[in-house]
Amino acid sequence: MTTKLPRLAFRNIFRNLRRSILSAVAISVSALSIVMLFGLLDGMEIDMANNLQSYYTGEVRIRNVDYEKYERYNPLHLGVDWEAIAPILMDNPSVESATARISFPANMYIGENSQVVMGVGADFSTEEAFIDFPAILKEGRLPEQGKNEMLIGSAMARELNLSIGDKVTMLTTTAARGSNAITLQVVGIATFPVGSLNTNMFWAPLDRMQYFLRMEGLSQEILVLLKDGAKESLVAQEIHDEISQSLGIETDTRSWKDLNIMYSMLRIMKVAYYFVAIFFFLLGSTVIINTTMMVIFERMREIGTLSALGMQGSELTKLFLLEGFFISVIGSGVGVIIGMIGNYYLSKVGINFTDAMSGIDLEVSSIFYPQVNILKSFFIWLYAVVISSLATFIPSRRASKIEPVEALRYV
Amino acid sequence: MCKHDKSKKHLLFPLLLLLVFLPSNLSAVSAEEIIQKMDELATFETSYSTGSIQTKDRFGTKTSTFNAWSQGESDSLIEFTSTAERGQKILRTKGSLYLFYPDAEELIRLQGAALRQSMLGSDISYEDMTEEKNTLDNYKAVLEGTEAFKDTMCYVITLTATTRSVAYPVQKLWIDTENYLVWKAQYSTAQGRLLKEMEVLSTLEAGGRVIASETRIEDKMKRDSHTYMRLDSLEVNPVLDKKIFTLENLTW
């Protein structure tokens, strides 16, 4: 009898197909939502990691040990000696590439109007490893070392009505804690993936910014990219020690994961979403519970007959549990597959959040590209099947408690 | 003897009269007159000075040197000569303040709140450095009384702004009763919150007037920061080319 139970349970699904489909759809929608949500979160995590490593911190960031303490005062005089540190980094076998940057706030003057912007002094030859400038450059070219030139974001160009060849004057506080202004010519317009980079940031040659900011030979920070497989926090410690031994100076050298709160938050958020998923599936399972309960009441006569013929209570429970299990398997399977197809499609075309994210200073791109993760999707399917099947267990147990005599009253 | 007594009486009367009227004579000087006199004595037809601004803050000590020219109550030009700021200039003409930087192709005109920004990271704002000497156009003055400050008798005057365009809604000044030098000043908000404090540490004489040669300024909005402004030399009424205070000339 036990071996026939799965076949019997599977056949029973088709006895009231519409109700079975309704149950399957509920589970399916839950699974689809979770697969797409996780696809989106995975996409955000990868995107944020890429942006943080390319535009903000590299995989390891080196700064003056006191910089963070006084960061709100823009203490450019607390710089790091790029020329002295670069050879040490190149000698480290885990280091792939390194670049020096100076980030600083400035007032951009266009005629009588001024706007607060962020400037970045960068060496475009070493930046190649970090940022794919040719891919994001929409107009013009990259600024050249030794020239008062700059690259701006496309949103900034549009908002301030700036085009290639225009000149603007920047006023800022220097490392000498005085003020200085310089006129830069727009030679390139790029579309950066992150909204804030696009709207209020300009990039200029490192040597000119060192001169402008009175930071000859110094940079505000050094960003490092590591070879595949290198453990960021271990290499960060290694670099810190090497600089300390060679130059006798203490630096604030940390891995990007230790520096970015938002990234850590995103990872915590993902764990939280696993709990959210439980509620999604429980919600979807209420339809199965309801269907199973209805089925038990409807098939009371059948249950009575089966009991009278000698079927055990536990076998009856198994029968209904298997029905729920099959519906869960099919429903969540369909949901997961549709979710994966949806994620695959969106991973190609992207979801544009440019308008919704305007004014939000977050290191994620304004166009999200969800990720397809087969292993994770399989686990979501398994997760959905287990929770839904367990939920079916509650009404299924009722079938085992029905007395044959009582059930046969319905005959 | 009697004659002698009579002559004594003659002396006593005017002396009593003087004693009775002397305090009222002093207070008879109105607050407006004191401020007017203070502005007059701080204003030169033309002047040329050299000096330095030394700022001490949490990051250490920074010194900037300058040459300054002034004309009348509203025109002034400052050119910085220290290495970090060499060639930078600040021009104030009636109602406008312009900054010139050697690497900038255009002049920057500071307006409104930007005028209150710190100059070279010091405790002095652009507005402080180039303020016009027409106090009574913007403030109502009240004489609070007299008070000794560093063994010098001073008028204590409270200035309350009558316009919203000034940096400090309330100023309390300690003005020398003899030479009208402002020995001490406290600048506050209308609600009485102290924003800045100024104190003269030493003086010099030029053109028959007493001028502050070393001043300590403390911006109360900044923590652990104060600035010393020193005048190394002051030439009164030199012959200046009138073009000095024009925009065209600013870029020379």
Side-chain angles (χ1 to χ4, degrees):
Chain A
M1 189 71 185
T2 315
T3 51
K4 285 180 183 171
L5 273 179
R7 215 167 61 190
L8 189 64
F10 189 73
R11 217 167 46 204
N12 280 346
I13 292 171
F14 299 97
R15 286 173 65 179
N16 194 332
L17 193 61
R18 275 189 298 181
R19 208 151 45 201
S20 300
I21 289 172
L22 186 70
S23 303
V25 165
I27 297 295
S28 181
V29 169
S30 306
L32 181 144
S33 311
I34 296 297
V35 166
M36 293 199 80
L37 177 70
F38 276 91
L40 190 67
L41 286 172
D42 281 347
M44 276 176 76
E45 188 183 337
I46 292 170
D47 177 74
M48 192 182 250
N50 280 337
N51 289 338
L52 288 169
Q53 289 171 15
S54 301
Y55 297 101
Y56 295 93
T57 56
E59 284 182 274
V60 172
R61 189 190 70 187
I62 305 164
R63 276 186 176 179
N64 183 296
V65 73
D66 289 325
Y67 192 90
E68 194 171 276
K69 188 176 165 190
Y70 300 108
E71 193 163 6
R72 66 197 179 105
Y73 301 109
N74 184 33
L76 289 175
H77 62 286
L78 299 172
V80 280
D81 191 339
W82 165 235
E83 281 157 28
I85 292 173
I88 298 169
L89 295 175
M90 292 308 125
D91 284 346
N92 188 309
S94 302
V95 172
E96 177 76 38
S97 52
T99 193
R101 284 186 197 165
I102 304 172
S103 301
F104 59 96
N107 272 310
M108 180 191 268
Y109 283 85
I110 304 171
E112 291 277 294
N113 301 316
S114 75
Q115 180 155 339
V116 177
V117 292
M118 283 300 295
V120 182
D123 181 341
F124 292 95
S125 58
T126 52
E127 287 289 345
E128 273 175 3
F130 291 78
I131 301 169
D132 186 4
F133 276 113
I136 59 168
L137 196 65
K138 295 294 162 205
E139 231 182 299
R141 59 172 175 81
L142 292 179
E144 288 172 10
Q145 296 290 100
K147 291 183 178 172
N148 292 351
E149 297 175 340
M150 68 172 174
L151 172 82
I152 59 170
S154 52
M156 184 196 266
R158 196 173 51 245
E159 278 167 27
L160 301 176
N161 205 19
L162 291 172
S163 50
I164 303 291
D166 286 348
K167 287 181 175 180
V168 287
T169 298
M170 306 289 179
L171 175 67
T172 192
T173 304
T174 66
R177 305 202 314 284
S179 66
N180 200 9
I182 194 168
T183 300
L184 300 172
Q185 186 174 31
V186 180
V187 294
I189 296 171
T191 301
F192 294 93
V194 181
S196 58
L197 296 177
N198 237 356
T199 50
N200 73 344
M201 208 169 251
F202 71 91
W203 295 67
L206 182 69
D207 62 338
R208 292 309 294 157
M209 292 303 100
Q210 283 174 327
Y211 161 76
F212 170 48
L213 299 164
R214 308 293 187 242
M215 291 181 73
E216 278 80 359
L218 296 180
S219 72
Q220 180 223 3
E221 59 190 14
I222 295 169
L223 310 188
V224 182
L225 282 184
L226 305 179
K227 287 186 177 144
D228 287 343
K231 188 115 177 72
E232 299 99 338
S233 49
L234 289 178
V235 180
Q237 187 58 47
E238 220 173 271
I239 291 171
H240 170 270
D241 295 344
E242 283 165 7
I243 294 170
S244 180
Q245 279 164 17
S246 304
L247 304 175
I249 52 165
E250 285 301 305
T251 54
D252 176 14
T253 306
R254 278 186 278 172
S255 89
W256 68 286
K257 282 179 186 162
D258 297 333
L259 288 163
N260 298 292
I261 298 165
M262 267 314 292
Y263 183 76
S264 310
M265 294 251 307
L266 190 68
R267 301 196 76 162
I268 294 166
M269 242 163 72
K270 280 183 76 178
V271 176
Y273 276 120
Y274 282 111
F275 290 99
V276 172
I278 293 177
F279 293 105
F280 258 76
F281 292 130
L282 282 178
L283 206 63
S285 303
T286 54
V287 181
I288 290 194
I289 294 170
N290 186 45
T291 307
T292 314
M293 280 167 74
M294 295 288 286
V295 164
I296 289 166
F297 280 118
E298 273 177 18
R299 296 197 211 148
M300 199 60 90
R301 192 174 59 180
E302 189 185 318
I303 292 167
T305 312
L306 289 170
S307 300
L309 288 171
M311 193 183 249
Q312 299 294 313
S314 60
E315 286 172 327
L316 280 166
T317 304
K318 270 184 204 164
L319 180 71
F320 288 101
L321 196 64
L322 280 168
E323 272 189 51
F325 171 73
F326 288 135
I327 291 172
S328 303
V329 167
I330 296 164
S332 57
V334 170
V336 165
I337 289 166
I338 295 173
M340 283 170 72
I341 293 169
N343 276 346
Y344 178 76
Y345 173 72
L346 292 172
S347 72
K348 299 292 168 199
V349 298
I351 312 169
N352 197 336
F353 284 101
T354 308
D355 290 334
M357 289 189 67
S358 65
I360 299 172
D361 192 13
L362 210 62
E363 296 91 351
V364 285
S365 305
S366 47
I367 299 175
F368 292 171
Y369 293 95
Q371 295 291 307
V372 181
N373 188 325
I374 294 170
L375 193 67
K376 203 171 270 180
S377 301
F378 171 73
F379 276 112
I380 291 171
W381 173 78
L382 204 65
Y383 198 55
V385 168
V386 170
I387 292 176
S388 308
S389 302
L390 285 176
T392 321
F393 183 70
I394 304 160
S396 299
R397 275 179 60 220
R398 191 185 159 83
S400 67
K401 288 176 184 166
I402 296 168
E403 292 295 326
V405 179
E406 195 188 334
L408 286 169
R409 277 171 54 207
Y410 290 88
V411 177
Chain B
M1 183 73 184
C2 189
K3 198 179 174 184
H4 186 71
D5 276 354
K6 203 175 175 182
S7 67
K8 256 189 176 175
K9 269 183 186 174
H10 279 152
L11 271 173
L12 202 64
F13 183 70
L15 201 66
L16 277 170
L17 209 67
L18 192 71
L19 279 170
V20 169
F21 286 101
L22 186 66
S24 59
N25 269 351
L26 256 180
S27 61
V29 183
S30 72
E32 285 77 12
E33 284 168 338
I34 296 165
I35 296 298
Q36 218 158 15
K37 193 84 178 157
M38 173 194 86
D39 278 349
E40 270 172 35
L41 291 172
T43 309
F44 297 101
E45 201 172 310
T46 57
S47 74
Y48 169 70
S49 57
T50 60
S52 63
I53 297 170
Q54 189 182 64
T55 303
K56 293 184 179 182
D57 60 17
R58 58 170 66 77
F59 298 123
T61 303
K62 173 187 185 287
T63 305
S64 306
T65 53
F66 65 85
N67 296 333
W69 296 261
S70 78
Q71 178 182 265
E73 61 182 31
S74 57
D75 294 342
S76 60
L77 174 72
I78 298 165
E79 181 183 13
F80 291 96
T81 50
S82 40
T83 314
E85 302 86 19
R86 184 161 292 143
Q88 295 180 10
K89 296 173 194 169
I90 303 170
L91 172 69
R92 176 142 199 174
T93 56
K94 186 90 183 155
S96 297
L97 194 141
Y98 298 90
L99 306 180
F100 166 77
Y101 293 91
D103 293 306
E105 290 177 17
E106 60 183 329
L107 295 174
I108 292 170
R109 185 181 177 201
L110 288 188
Q111 300 178 90
L115 289 167
R116 286 156 206 173
Q117 286 172 7
S118 156
M119 188 180 67
L120 305 177
S122 70
D123 296 66
I124 308 166
S125 68
Y126 288 103
E127 207 159 42
D128 294 338
M129 191 71 175
T130 56
E131 66 181 344
E132 295 177 8
K133 309 291 188 298
N134 52 358
T135 312
L136 291 175
D137 290 354
N138 299 312
Y139 287 94
K140 185 173 146 273
V142 174
L143 177 60
E144 307 284 356
T146 54
E147 194 178 296
F149 178 77
K150 289 186 179 172
D151 301 331
T152 307
M153 191 52 75
C154 293
Y155 295 116
V156 181
I157 287 184
T158 300
L159 299 172
T160 310
T162 51
T163 64
R164 296 183 70 183
S165 60
V166 294
Y168 310 110
V170 177
Q171 294 186 26
K172 192 173 179 185
L173 308 177
W174 282 257
I175 302 168
D176 197 310
T177 53
E178 284 179 14
N179 56 33
Y180 293 89
L181 172 78
V182 181
W183 279 99
K184 185 183 171 183
Q186 287 179 336
Y187 307 97
S188 318
T189 62
Q191 291 72 36
R193 187 178 178 195
L194 188 60
L195 297 171
K196 209 171 271 188
E197 201 164 48
M198 182 279 287
E199 197 180 308
V200 172
L201 302 178
S202 61
T203 59
L204 59 85
E205 272 197 51
R209 307 172 199 184
V210 178
I211 308 289
S213 61
E214 186 177 8
T215 311
R216 185 184 189 276
I217 300 126
E218 193 175 336
D219 187 340
K220 298 289 182 183
M221 298 293 106
K222 291 181 172 182
R223 203 189 292 170
D224 307 326
S225 174
H226 58 270
T227 297
Y228 293 98
M229 191 165 146
R230 295 185 182 95
L231 272 190
D232 298 328
S233 69
L234 175 68
E235 201 180 321
V236 176
N237 296 333
V239 179
L240 297 179
D241 186 343
K242 282 197 164 50
K243 282 183 183 171
I244 284 181
F245 306 102
T246 61
L247 291 181
E248 293 73 33
N249 199 56
L250 195 56
T251 51
W252 51 239

